[in-house]
Amino acid sequence: MLLEILLTLALSYAIYRFFCGDKEESLPMEDGWWGPGVKPTASEDESIRPFKVETSEEEIKDLHRRLDNVRLTAPLEDSRFHYGFNINYLKKVITYWKNEFDWKKQVEILNKYPHFKTKIEGLDIHFIHVKPPNLPSGRTPKVLLMVHGWPGSFYEFYKIIPFLTDPKSHGMSDDLVFEVICPSIPGYSFSEASSKKGMNSVATARIFYKLMMRLGFQEFYVQGGDWGSLICTNIAQLVPRHVRGLHLNMAFISKNNHFFTLPLALRFPKFFGYTERDIELMTPFKEKVFYSIIRESGYMHIQCTKPDTVGCALNDSPVGLAAYILEKFSTWTNSDFRDLEDGGLERKFSLDDLLTNIMLYWTTASITTSQRYYKENLGQGILTQKHETMKVYVPTGFAAFPCELLHVPEKWMRVKFPKLISYSYMARGGHFAAFEEPELLARDICKFVRLREQQ
């Protein structure tokens, strides 16, 4: 009798899985118009136009005037970065910004890669397009779309691009060579901001897919962290047949029942399928998960609800903008950096690189429009959009950097990404992986692509 019951249950489950189980589905390919006013009846200009980053004496003089007139509040004694950006160290950043930082020189560095703009769904979309400089005859590069997040920019990829496009000259195997496209999210730096509500990650994914089609790429790889990871995931959900592979260094997994059993799982990790490294990265639980989420999410609550209010302040003060953004490059790189007087910023980055990223927000007045992205994506709550509960059936690779805000075990990844073919515990690094550890990330991208090409 028991055997009959077990067989009946097994058969019922098999029938359910066959008829009602997970089915590979894709997001609907809709359309949009994000420019001002009503969509014109004339067809959109699909030309791709060269673009060059420029500056002026007036722009630099205005910046220096504002830096000279800054008003600061004295920090608490021994506060370090526990109350936010340490004002004593901020004074050093301001002095460097005024007296040593050369924006004109950094503009030349920005222009070392080819920049372009093209109109898509009513918006001027900015991107850089870097082809291999030394591609052997007869070789075809892999096409890779890389997408940034907040508070970053396309500049985050400037140090990883050489490892991908010219690997042999940078100590890597040249069996894989990439052609890299890095767009700016609408409302970030040189990509035009939406005039309409609703510009979320799915709309951005559709725009970037159209960009790749316009460039003539029918199949390509995608890679991203932060918002870039969600946008790239959405591209894989929209057009899975066009995405050869998806590589992430951060993952949004909203529907994850494993999270609620985590406190118990940390006591019996093997029973719940966690590795020793998972436990190291998630314990002590209160500090690594609970307190970390609370301590580092205040900005998100503001930007999910009233982005334009705080945007007014940041868009008017370069020092306020720098403090707001650079604090993230401290504690998101390593949470222990909050115990240091300088926030550990110069342990991982140069002030030139950090201030270049700040200037991309300042000179384009894009901080407010970049923050609206939180309102559009998270302002209605989680699990309210179809893509959040959909699985991704594109072959996927994941790089788990140890100092990321929240560790995502392989067990969690497989909830949303059943075709996960590569999962790596990275040796070091935090949230801004491409900016902080470009070679490590490049090697893991190559590892994933090799596995994908062998399938």
Side-chain angles (χ1 to χ4, degrees), residues 35-36 119 122-126 185-195:
K119 188 78 74 173
L123 300 179
D124 251 350
I125 300 301
H126 162 262
I185 298 172
Y188 287 70
S189 61
F190 303 113
S191 275
E192 188 178 358
S194 174
S195 296

Side-chain angles (χ1 to χ4, degrees), residues 47-53 109-118 125-133 135 140-147 154-155 157-158 160-162 164-166 177-184 190-191 208 210-221:
S47 63
I48 297 173
R49 313 178 308 277
F51 172 77
K52 187 175 182 180
V53 182
I109 292 174
L110 289 171
N111 284 323
K112 77 175 183 178
Y113 293 133
H115 292 248
F116 303 90
K117 283 189 176 184
T118 189
I125 300 301
H126 162 262
F127 63 99
I128 58 172
H129 186 176
V130 188
K131 298 180 180 181
L135 188 66
T140 302
K142 305 298 179 185
V143 179
L144 177 63
L145 174 73
M146 303 189 78
V147 185
F154 67 91
Y155 183 62
F157 302 118
Y158 267 51
I160 195 174
I161 286 173
L164 298 169
T165 59
D166 193 14
V177 180
F178 292 88
E179 182 171 344
V180 179
I181 297 91
C182 303
S184 295
F190 303 113
S191 275
F208 288 171
K210 290 181 178 181
L211 170 64
M212 298 302 281
M213 293 298 101
R214 192 167 295 181
L215 291 172
F217 302 122
Q218 293 296 316
E219 190 176 61
F220 50 89
Y221 286 91

Side-chain angles (χ1 to χ4, degrees), residues 22 40 55-56 75 119 140 151 164 190 253 256 262 269 304 312 343 360 375-376 386 427 433 435:
D22 293 329
T55 187
S56 65
K119 188 78 74 173
T140 302
L164 298 169
F190 303 113
I253 306 176
N256 177 20
L262 187 57
C304 282
C312 288
L360 287 172
K375 175 77 168 177
E376 303 295 5
K386 184 177 181 180
F435 208 33

Side-chain angles (χ1 to χ4, degrees), residues 34-94:
W34 308 102
V38 179
K39 182 179 180 179
T41 55
S43 58
E44 193 166 63
D45 177 11
E46 296 186 356
S47 63
I48 297 173
R49 313 178 308 277
F51 172 77
K52 187 175 182 180
V53 182
E54 296 179 336
T55 187
S56 65
E57 290 296 336
E58 291 73 17
E59 183 176 70
I60 296 172
K61 286 179 180 178
D62 176 67
L63 170 68
H64 286 178
R65 177 182 61 80
R66 293 170 185 263
L67 295 178
D68 287 336
N69 293 329
V70 65
R71 297 193 307 170
L72 299 175
T73 301
L76 295 171
E77 295 177 3
D78 198 33
S79 60
R80 292 162 287 175
F81 267 61
H82 286 272
Y83 282 70
F85 205 98
N86 183 279
I87 302 302
N88 288 333
Y89 181 66
L90 183 58
K91 291 177 182 177
K92 176 185 175 181
V93 174
I94 296 169

Side-chain angles (χ1 to χ4, degrees), residues 249-253 256 258-259 261-262 265-266 269 272-283 285 288-289 396-402 404-417 420 422-425:
N249 55 278
M250 183 179 176
F252 291 78
I253 306 176
N256 177 20
H258 297 310
F259 185 81
T261 62
L262 187 57
L266 294 177
F272 284 89
Y274 292 101
T275 67
E276 290 184 8
R277 185 57 174 153
D278 290 331
I279 303 307
E280 290 174 359
L281 295 172
M282 293 190 293
T283 54
F285 176 77
K288 293 289 185 69
V289 180
T396 303
F398 188 74
F401 284 85
E404 182 56 274
L405 295 171
L406 179 65
H407 174 62
V408 180
E410 182 175 350
K411 182 182 181 73
W412 295 8
M413 284 294 296
R414 293 193 181 279
V415 171
K416 190 176 183 69
F417 304 92
L420 185 73
S422 174
Y423 182 97
S424 305
Y425 295 101

Side-chain angles (χ1 to χ4, degrees), residues 256-307:
N256 177 20
N257 294 330
H258 297 310
F259 185 81
F260 299 101
T261 62
L262 187 57
L264 183 61
L266 294 177
R267 293 175 62 89
F268 308 99
K270 291 184 179 179
F271 180 79
F272 284 89
Y274 292 101
T275 67
E276 290 184 8
R277 185 57 174 153
D278 290 331
I279 303 307
E280 290 174 359
L281 295 172
M282 293 190 293
T283 54
F285 176 77
K286 286 184 179 179
E287 173 60 31
K288 293 289 185 69
V289 180
F290 184 71
Y291 291 141
S292 177
I293 291 174
I294 293 176
R295 185 172 52 238
E296 296 298 336
S297 62
Y299 82 98
M300 185 172 64
H301 295 290
I302 295 173
Q303 293 173 193
C304 282
T305 54
K306 307 291 180 65

